[in-house]
């Protein structure tokens, strides 16, 4: 059996197995009346950020795996959500959740747009499932999910803003393509930042080369650039490379490694190494273009 086979199940209430699912205004209106505020929150998140694993959705909106599975499965049975995973052995891969045909129609209706064809929505899900950038997308989303989860348990901490790659491109034009942008607030300090998620698949020269674009951004966008790396070994090598090449003027670079952050509080914790400084600091303690106050560019 193909180890990379895509697994997508058709729940009992779904008519799409025969291609007969039809989306009408009455169907969308009926589902709209059954949505909870948390359901709407999930739809907005999936519309903006495309896909999350079950565990990521637990951290974002539920806090309990049991409650999450029950509600996600219900929304899946009603075609509001869709899900996929790749075959793996031993064990099974976690489900990746995305908008289903009805969920996509609810988003479109809220914007006054034409309702999408169910087949088009499922085709988009299939393309996402087979995309070579899926792991990267889940890594970027996981970074922001970890911050959101931290804020849920630490009073005074909050992820004020979370932009996806497309929204970042709108803000940066052709100068640079950040993987994400956020604004983190923690007990009076506010730090805007850009995120570059690294999976260890690119050369360090290519990774460092991205800094040229950040140096060209206008001063109001001169946020710290955070490299989220897979291992401390990769992080050490990056710092060595940056010592040799230097960091462009006006750019603050900080790094953290997933393996280290997993034991020290995640990306909100004291895991960040600013290039040129030996100590690790919390995300809230990184240099801010506003000095850590509450004012930052929208």
């Amino acid at each position: 059996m193909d180890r990379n086979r895509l697994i997508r199940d058709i729940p009992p209430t779904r008519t799409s197995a025969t291609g007969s699912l039809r989306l009408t205004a009455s169907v969308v209106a009926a589902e709209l009346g059954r949505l909870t505020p948390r359901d709407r929150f999930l739809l907005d998140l999936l519309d903006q950020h495309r896909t999350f694993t079950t565990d990521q959705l637990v951290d974002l909106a539920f806090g309990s795996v049991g409650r999450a599975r029950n509600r996600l499965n219900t929304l899946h049975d009603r075609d509001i959500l869709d899900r996929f995973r790749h075959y793996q052995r031993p064990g099974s891969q976690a489900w990746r959740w995305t908008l289903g045909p009805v969920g996509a129609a609810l988003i479109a209706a809220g914007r006054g747009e034409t309702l999408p064809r169910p087949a088009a929505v499922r085709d988009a899900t299939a393309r996402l499932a087979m995309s070579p950038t899926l792991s990267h997308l889940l890594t970027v989303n996981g970074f922001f999910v970890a911050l959101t989860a931290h804020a849920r348990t630490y009073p005074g901490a909050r992820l004020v803003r979370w932009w996806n790659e497309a929204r970042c491109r709108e803000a940066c034009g052709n100068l640079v393509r950040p993987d994400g942008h956020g604004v983190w607030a923690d007990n009076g300090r506010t730090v805007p930042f850009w995120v570059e998620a690294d999976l260890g698949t690119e050369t360090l020269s290519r990774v460092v080369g991205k800094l040229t674009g950040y140096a060209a951004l206008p001063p109001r966008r001169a946020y710290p650039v955070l490299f989220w790396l897979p291992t401390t070994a990769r992080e050490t090598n990056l710092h060595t490379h940056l010592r040799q090449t230097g960091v462009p003027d006006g750019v603050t670079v900080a790094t953290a490694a997933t393996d280290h952050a997993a034991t020290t509080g995640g990306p909100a914790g004291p895991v960040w190494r600013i290039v040129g400084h030996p100590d690790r600091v919390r995300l809230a303690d990184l240099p801010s273009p506003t000095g850590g106050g509450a004012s930052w560019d929208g």
Side-chain angles (χ1 to χ4, degrees):
M1 183 177 293
D2 181 6
R3 295 177 65 85
N4 294 319
R5 180 168 61 87
L6 178 65
I7 300 174
R8 295 178 67 202
D9 58 338
I10 305 296
T13 60
R14 186 175 295 189
T15 58
S16 56
T18 61
S20 59
L21 177 63
R22 296 182 59 199
L23 286 178
T24 64
S26 60
V27 170
V28 174
E31 287 294 352
L32 185 62
R34 301 168 67 186
L35 292 180
T36 68
R38 181 166 58 191
D39 295 339
R40 293 170 184 262
F41 175 63
L42 291 177
L43 291 182
D44 287 340
L45 281 173
L46 288 167
D47 176 51
Q48 294 178 53
H49 305 292
R50 304 181 66 192
T51 186
F52 296 97
T53 66
T54 301
D55 286 344
Q56 287 173 344
L57 290 179
V58 169
D59 287 340
L60 281 169
F62 292 95
S64 161
V65 174
R67 285 198 299 271
R69 286 177 177 168
N70 288 340
R71 190 57 183 171
L72 293 174
N73 287 336
T74 296
L75 296 175
H76 179 238
D77 290 346
R78 286 158 46 191
D79 277 309
I80 293 173
L81 299 184
D82 202 354
R83 65 187 184 185
F84 61 86
R85 61 186 176 187
H86 291 272
Y87 175 82
Q88 70 177 29
R89 194 172 181 179
S92 59
Q93 187 181 63
W95 287 112
R96 282 83 166 101
W97 296 87
T98 189
L99 291 176
V102 175
L106 287 163
I107 293 292
R111 295 174 178 162
E113 299 172 351
T114 302
L115 301 187
R117 293 183 300 108
V121 177
R122 298 205 198 286
D123 286 348
T125 297
R127 288 194 298 272
L128 173 63
M130 302 307 297
S131 171
T133 63
L134 175 61
S135 293
H136 184 264
L137 174 62
L138 288 170
T139 298
V140 175
N141 287 351
F143 174 88
F144 287 98
V145 168
L147 290 179
T148 304
H150 180 94
R152 292 180 67 185
T153 56
Y154 286 84
R158 186 164 69 98
L159 182 61
V160 180
R161 187 161 69 192
W162 172 5
W163 286 355
N164 60 23
E165 183 181 353
R167 181 65 184 84
C168 290
R169 282 202 304 271
E170 293 176 3
C172 298
N174 296 323
L175 296 174
V176 69
R177 297 182 61 174
D179 294 326
H181 161 63
V183 175
W184 179 247
D186 190 349
N187 290 302
R189 283 195 55 84
T190 304
V191 178
F193 57 84
W194 303 111
V195 174
E196 289 285 348
D198 175 73
L199 300 185
T201 56
E202 295 182 318
T203 65
L204 291 177
S205 295
R206 185 177 178 85
V207 172
V208 171
K210 300 176 182 180
L211 296 176
T212 302
Y214 286 104
L217 291 174
R220 65 190 180 90
R221 301 289 191 194
Y223 310 144
V225 180
L226 310 185
F227 285 103
W228 184 239
L229 303 154
T231 65
T232 51
R234 174 80 166 176
E235 182 185 27
T236 298
N237 291 336
L238 178 59
H239 277 261
T240 299
H241 194 90
L242 285 169
R243 281 197 298 271
Q244 297 170 352
T245 62
V247 175
D249 291 341
V251 179
T252 298
V253 178
T255 68
T258 304
D259 59 355
H260 175 253
T263 61
T264 49
V271 300
W272 295 100
R273 289 180 61 190
I274 302 173
V275 173
H277 298 267
D279 299 327
R280 293 189 184 269
V281 299
R282 300 181 309 145
L283 178 58
D285 294 327
L286 290 175
S288 170
T290 63
S295 176
W296 33 266
D297 178 65

